[in-house]
Amino acid sequence: MSKKIITSLLAISVASFVYAGGFNTQADKDRKALQEYMEKKFASVKNASTFFPYSTKEELEKNFKWGLKGADFNLGSYAYNKGGKAQRDDMMEMPPFEDNIDAGKELYEKKFANGKSFKDCFPDPAIRGDYPKFDKEVVTLASDINKCLKDNGEKPWKVTKGKMTDLQAYFANASKEKGKKINIKIDSKEAAEAYERGKKEYYTQRGYLQLSCANCHVQGAGKRVRNEYLSPLFGAVTHFPVYRMKWQGLGTLERRIKGCEKNQGENPHKPGSKWQNEMIYFMSYMSNGLPVDGPDIRK
Ligand code: HEC
């Protein structure tokens, strides 16, 4: 057999192996492994020294909450960092994003110049957990909102803040009230490939610090960088758009990723770019099945 035929046979068998049982088989395996890793890491202070060799016993016993499972991780670093959680709980008594949800509802109902409204594009507002979708390319909530605007002759919005976060806050809140979950689908070969590209980027070391997202949010989850505890990838997308004290306002996941890339010492990719959208597709799949609970508050 010629070399060319052998290689193409190999390629076929690899492809059918990867997709056997459905296009989301690999992603599901990844998600389960990630959940298991995080639950093990935060199971008990007893085996903490294997995962946190640089933390003192006192810090781990006093400042950390243990025995975390499933949706506990929606709280990001506050899932285990008791001090940060207490501060967040205080602020949640009068959530600083209430006005944004109201403004988002108004935007949802307001008529465009052509007499239609967002209601025509999104009859049910409880859709936060269904994004990103895949339709020839990754479709994020932000890109679908902008598509609706453009289809109706309106100007698209900035994807990081402003009206975009108000409308998303309304969608997130409506989803939370209905008990919706993160529900990402990978149902074609092209979708699985987009997921794999997003995953690869998440694990790629970059910037002058040569760090990957995973260095900080998988292996690094639970460790401290300067004054901040690092949040786990598992549960990382459920609460967006998020109110950040640093921003004094709401921001999308796109905005947050851009900030993290900057901190990595990297010239960040554009919010809403194919690169970011595929990253968001991967990250969202990692939270599949967790309840939508945005907006929330972070430092
Ligand atoms: C040097 C470590 C570091 C790297 C590398 C890093 N981050 Fe972060 N990231 C942080 C810190 C610190 C915070 C704020 C504390 C927290 O919530 O983890 C944060 C927060 C976040 C949050 C918000 C979590 C929440 O609960 O709201 C997201 C999402 C995020 N990072 C995504 C990324 C992505 C995607 C990458 C790669 C492009 C990345 N980060 C790379 C340090 C890092």
Side-chain angles (χ1 to χ4, degrees):
M1 237 186 279
S2 81
K3 205 170 164 197
K4 204 169 158 197
I5 294 173
I6 294 174
T7 341
S8 62
L9 278 177
L10 258 177
I12 290 165
S13 69
V14 168
S16 55
F17 169 75
V18 170
Y19 299 126
F23 294 107
N24 66 340
T25 305
Q26 184 60 43
D28 247 10
K29 257 196 210 163
D30 295 344
R31 194 201 57 75
K32 282 199 192 104
L34 180 70
Q35 177 170 359
E36 273 168 28
Y37 170 77
M38 291 301 173
E39 289 182 346
K40 208 168 150 196
K41 189 170 193 173
F42 292 97
S44 151
V45 72
K46 280 190 211 123
N47 41 27
S49 58
T50 36
F51 289 110
F52 307 104
Y54 306 112
S55 303
T56 63
K57 197 164 169 258
E58 196 196 358
E59 180 182 6
L60 295 173
E61 276 177 356
K62 253 197 174 165
N63 301 351
F64 276 37
K65 188 177 172 213
W66 298 94
L68 305 184
K69 286 239 178 301
D72 292 343
F73 288 95
N74 281 24
L75 281 167
S77 65
Y78 303 152
Y80 64 87
N81 165 21
K82 287 198 250 175
K85 167 86 167 28
Q87 203 186 358
R88 174 256 180 206
D89 289 352
D90 277 351
M91 285 185 75
M92 279 301 255
E93 282 180 20
M94 263 180 65
F97 46 76
E98 290 282 291
D99 290 348
N100 300 93
I101 295 173
D102 293 344
K105 185 167 191 285
E106 263 173 47
L107 287 167
Y108 180 65
E109 287 163 358
K110 196 178 155 192
K111 296 241 182 309
F112 301 135
N114 68 2
K116 297 206 169 166
S117 73
F118 279 115
K119 272 186 166 176
D120 294 290
C121 299
F122 309 106
D124 177 5
I127 50 168
R128 164 64 181 85
D130 303 333
Y131 286 88
K133 300 178 176 179
F134 191 91
D135 179 14
K136 296 192 194 81
E137 58 183 358
V138 173
V139 178
T140 59
L141 184 53
S143 71
D144 228 12
I145 287 172
N146 274 340
K147 179 176 185 296
C148 179
L149 285 166
K150 281 186 260 177
D151 287 350
N152 286 287
E154 302 280 322
K155 267 206 199 131
W157 295 339
K158 219 178 147 97
V159 304
T160 47
K161 54 185 173 181
K163 288 181 187 163
M164 182 59 84
T165 41
D166 288 350
L167 185 59
Q168 288 197 11
Y170 173 60
F171 285 165
N173 189 62
S175 311
K176 177 166 82 178
E177 284 179 347
K178 275 204 178 166
K180 294 276 183 151
K181 298 194 164 147
I182 302 286
N183 177 28
I184 310 300
K185 301 213 160 65
I186 298 179
D187 48 19
S188 67
K189 183 164 166 284
E190 290 70 28
E193 285 166 356
Y195 165 88
E196 287 295 337
R197 283 194 296 273
K199 176 168 96 183
K200 181 159 169 270
E201 290 302 317
Y202 196 88
Y203 283 89
T204 299
Q205 294 171 309
R206 63 170 62 83
Y208 60 77
L209 297 171
Q210 283 297 298
L211 286 169
S212 71
C213 311
N215 285 146
C216 284
H217 295 295
V218 179
Q219 299 94 317
K223 297 191 178 130
R224 197 152 33 94
V225 175
R226 277 174 257 126
N227 244 346
E228 295 211 67
Y229 283 107
L230 292 167
S231 56
L233 167 62
F234 180 64
V237 305
T238 58
H239 56 289
F240 281 88
V242 77
Y243 180 94
R244 270 191 89 192
M245 297 173 214
K246 185 181 158 191
W247 295 333
Q248 291 287 303
L250 285 172
T252 55
L253 184 54
E254 284 87 342
R255 185 177 182 189
R256 192 56 156 118
I257 293 175
K258 184 181 169 194
C260 254
E261 260 195 286
K262 265 195 202 159
N263 293 345
Q264 257 173 304
E266 159 112 329
N267 189 9
H269 292 81
K270 215 173 155 240
S273 60
K274 180 174 180 228
W275 185 92
Q276 259 211 2
N277 290 353
E278 290 182 345
M279 173 74 89
I280 291 174
Y281 194 40
F282 162 70
M283 291 175 72
S284 301
Y285 203 92
M286 290 301 98
S287 290
N288 232 4
L290 292 173
V292 174
D293 63 353
D296 204 333
I297 300 171
R298 296 288 185 270
K299 200 167 127 198

